[in-house]
Amino acid sequence: MARINEIVKYKKKRETTEIILTYMADRTAIDTIKGYFYQFDYAIVKVLELSQDTDAIIVEGIEDVDLNTVTEETAIQCKYYAKTEYNHSVIAKPIKLMLNHYKEVTNGTKKRINYKLYGYFQSGQTKLALPISSTFLKDHFLTYTENKIKRYHHLELNLTDVELDDFISLLEIDISALEYQSQLSKISTLLMNHFGCKAFEAEHFFYNNALKVIKDIAVESNIAKRKISKSEFLKRINFKRVLFNEWFILYKGEAKLFAELRTQYFTDLNISPFERFFIIEVPTINYVRAELKDLIFTVSRKWSKLSAREPHPFCPYIYLHNILPQELLDLKKELFSEGFIFIDGFDFDGSEFNPKSISKSANNSNCIKLKILNKLEHIDLTVKEINKTKEIYQFYNSNPFFDIPYPSVKQTHIQFSLLTDIKKII
């Protein structure tokens, strides 16, 4: 993960994704990014497999992933070479770096630890016979030519064969690591077993959250902040809301992610006559009224049934979070002037909000296409007034803003970057 800061130094969600996708235009870069994901995923596997809640990993410590348990400390170098045949030279550099650390151990300046090289290769694994001897270590990993000069890394470190044997006793080499998709499947199984969830939740909630946690700590400059225990990790990923996480989008693909969310939450050939609340955070930057109007029309069109033949007609509720009062008023005037019929729970000028008024049934006669809630507190009042089945879909830009729990109400939280993203989901 040495170049991870080059990829994630820009924090804004959509901008980060675009930078990464641009970087991925080159085929070599695609393989590099996949290597980062493989390392992220390996870190997730290792923290989930820790036996004790107090055991921990360090991301980007001595190596890509360091394990800290009561009984051992292991520094793990993780490599993914999907298109590369194994040759000794490919893993020589990380082994030399591990030996550098071991030298400091012999000098008394570093703590004695275990070392592991974990790598996936397309082929060639039979070239390495394990366990290795100190002679094999010297000949194939520590001896090399640089600028036409033969160099001996062990001699430069002034290490004896006895010390090299000791280093080998601490070193584990595994070049038959799990393939990329197999490792992802392992993560899914671990998450489903731990949280007792289905595959969709394991991937879109917990894996999505896990990627963000690992990415966030990987770029911390303070090594203490790159350490996370199993209990803390599970606590930080244990929430069921869809994050607009640039790394998860990069892994999944934006179009595929939106399609899967649409299938999971918003695809129903026979839409039930439920009372649906769409509560949407209006971005304060780059706000365009036309985009919001288009979204409003989409919500109304897709989630209303007002036909005279419909036995239980209905239309959705919408609340626009953070919209300025004057902008909301101007928006309503524009909708009204265009013949778009809505109600907002105010029966006359100067009246207080009336949840009974806004919850009255929409039908073919009154042609109410939408119910607009002006204030956040109006949601709770209206939900409590309605005796029918209710669903709440919250689309937030940064953090969820409506957090009242209702035992009998389905609530879905989805993070988004642009208003136009919501149209692609619902």
Side-chain angles (χ1 to χ4, degrees):
M1 298 185 199
R3 293 181 59 209
I4 191 71
N5 286 295
E6 297 178 28
I7 311 299
V8 299
K9 62 183 178 180
Y10 298 103
K11 296 291 186 179
K12 294 181 181 178
K13 289 185 275 293
R14 181 56 59 90
E15 288 86 340
T16 305
T17 305
E18 289 174 351
I19 288 167
I20 296 172
L21 291 173
T22 300
Y23 181 76
M24 287 183 68
D26 174 62
R27 293 301 305 178
T28 303
I30 292 175
D31 295 336
T32 302
I33 291 291
K34 198 167 187 178
Y36 288 138
F37 272 108
Y38 190 79
Q39 291 173 341
F40 284 156
D41 291 345
Y42 183 69
I44 293 170
V45 167
K46 298 316 291 182
V47 71
L48 290 174
E49 287 184 334
L50 292 171
S51 59
Q52 303 294 325
D53 286 347
T54 53
D55 292 343
I57 67 167
I58 300 174
V59 180
E60 285 286 290
I62 298 171
E63 294 295 348
D64 295 322
V65 180
D66 298 348
L67 300 184
N68 290 112
T69 71
V70 175
T71 57
E72 70 168 301
E73 183 173 336
T74 304
I76 306 171
Q77 179 77 211
C78 179
K79 298 295 182 184
Y80 188 72
Y81 297 107
K83 299 177 182 178
T84 303
E85 179 181 1
Y86 171 80
N87 283 297
H88 303 319
S89 59
V90 179
I91 66 171
K93 182 177 179 179
I95 289 180
K96 287 198 288 284
L97 292 174
M98 291 175 179
L99 191 63
N100 290 346
H101 182 273
Y102 175 80
K103 174 62 180 179
E104 294 183 83
V105 173
T106 65
N107 291 339
T109 57
K110 292 288 177 69
K111 184 170 68 171
R112 184 179 175 88
I113 65 170
N114 294 311
Y115 306 94
K116 181 173 181 177
L117 192 144
Y118 181 80
Y120 175 83
F121 293 85
Q122 185 182 48
S123 59
Q125 288 86 350
T126 56
K127 296 178 183 179
L128 180 64
L130 297 171
I132 63 172
S133 64
S134 58
T135 300
F136 189 95
L137 176 69
K138 290 185 289 187
D139 291 346
H140 297 286
F141 298 132
L142 305 181
T143 302
Y144 62 101
T145 300
E146 186 177 68
N147 297 326
K148 298 182 180 181
I149 299 174
K150 201 163 192 177
R151 299 182 61 175
Y152 305 89
H153 195 67
H154 52 292
L155 297 181
E156 293 173 5
L157 295 178
N158 197 27
L159 291 170
T160 66
D161 283 356
V162 173
E163 289 171 321
L164 291 179
D165 285 335
D166 183 48
F167 171 72
I168 290 171
S169 73
L170 301 172
L171 174 66
E172 177 186 355
I173 300 176
D174 182 356
I175 57 170
S176 297
L178 288 176
E179 184 271 336
Y180 185 85
Q181 290 297 331
S182 298
Q183 184 167 255
L184 273 174
S185 296
K186 183 175 184 179
I187 292 173
S188 182
T189 299
L190 288 168
L191 291 171
M192 285 190 289
N193 289 341
H194 180 82
F195 292 106
C197 64
K198 296 181 179 180
F200 179 89
E201 294 174 318
E203 180 182 30
H204 290 80
F205 297 151
F206 304 119
Y207 174 65
N208 189 349
N209 299 340
L211 265 183
K212 185 177 188 305
V213 169
I214 294 298
K215 184 269 290 184
D216 286 349
I217 66 175
V219 297
E220 289 285 353
S221 57
N222 185 343
I223 191 171
K225 294 183 178 180
R226 297 200 298 273
K227 182 175 181 178
I228 189 166
S229 67
K230 182 177 182 178
S231 60
E232 177 63 19
F233 178 78
L234 291 172
K235 179 181 177 182
R236 288 176 62 177
I237 71 171
N238 187 17
F239 57 90
K240 290 186 177 182
R241 60 177 188 257
V242 178
L243 296 179
F244 196 91
N245 169 16
E246 63 269 22
W247 285 91
F248 186 72
I249 291 171
L250 183 57
Y251 146 73
K252 173 63 68 176
E254 189 176 88
K256 186 177 181 182
L257 172 61
F258 292 162
E260 289 180 354
L261 292 176
R262 186 167 58 251
T263 299
Q264 180 71 16
Y265 297 117
F266 301 104
T267 299
D268 193 341
L269 295 178
N270 297 301
I271 301 173
S272 302
F274 297 160
E275 301 290 286
R276 294 179 178 85
F277 292 75
F278 291 83
I279 58 179
I280 300 167
E281 182 175 6
V282 178
T284 56
I285 300 175
N286 299 325
Y287 166 72
V288 179
R289 185 189 295 175
E291 292 180 352
L292 181 57
K293 278 181 58 183
D294 192 31
L295 177 58
I296 288 171
F297 292 149
T298 300
V299 170
S300 174
R301 184 180 69 255
K302 288 188 174 182
W303 297 98
S304 297
K305 278 194 175 181
L306 303 175
S307 169
R309 298 188 301 273
E310 179 62 41
H312 303 288
F314 59 92
C315 76
Y317 297 78
I318 195 166
Y319 165 70
L320 304 172
H321 190 60
N322 278 343
I323 192 169
L324 296 175
Q326 185 60 50
E327 173 60 20
L328 179 59
L329 180 60
D330 292 343
L331 177 63
K332 286 181 177 181
K333 288 179 179 178
E334 200 166 299
L335 292 173
F336 184 78
S337 69
E338 294 175 9
F340 184 83
I341 299 175
F342 63 88
I343 57 175
D344 60 8
F346 292 90
D347 297 316
F348 52 87
D349 186 27
S351 69
E352 293 184 352
F353 174 74
N354 184 355
K356 289 184 181 295
S357 177
I358 199 169
S359 59
K360 71 179 180 182
S361 297
N363 54 52
N364 185 254
S365 297
N366 59 35
C367 296
I368 298 172
K369 297 180 180 179
L370 191 68
K371 301 175 181 182
I372 300 177
L373 295 157
N374 286 8
K375 296 182 179 180
L376 193 63
E377 54 265 32
H378 294 171
I379 300 173
D380 184 48
L381 293 171
T382 305
V383 169
K384 290 177 179 177
E385 179 66 29
I386 299 169
N387 293 321
K388 301 176 183 177
T389 301
K390 300 171 282 283
E391 296 179 348
I392 298 175
Y393 298 94
Q394 179 176 175
F395 291 89
Y396 65 96
N397 191 251
S398 299
N399 294 295
F401 50 88
F402 184 77
D403 57 2
I404 299 177
Y406 301 104
S408 61
V409 179
K410 171 187 173 183
Q411 295 197 52
T412 300
H413 301 75
I414 300 176
Q415 189 178 31
F416 73 97
S417 180
L418 304 173
L419 282 176
T420 51
D421 295 335
I422 302 176
K423 273 190 60 181
K424 299 172 186 175
I425 297 171
I426 65 171

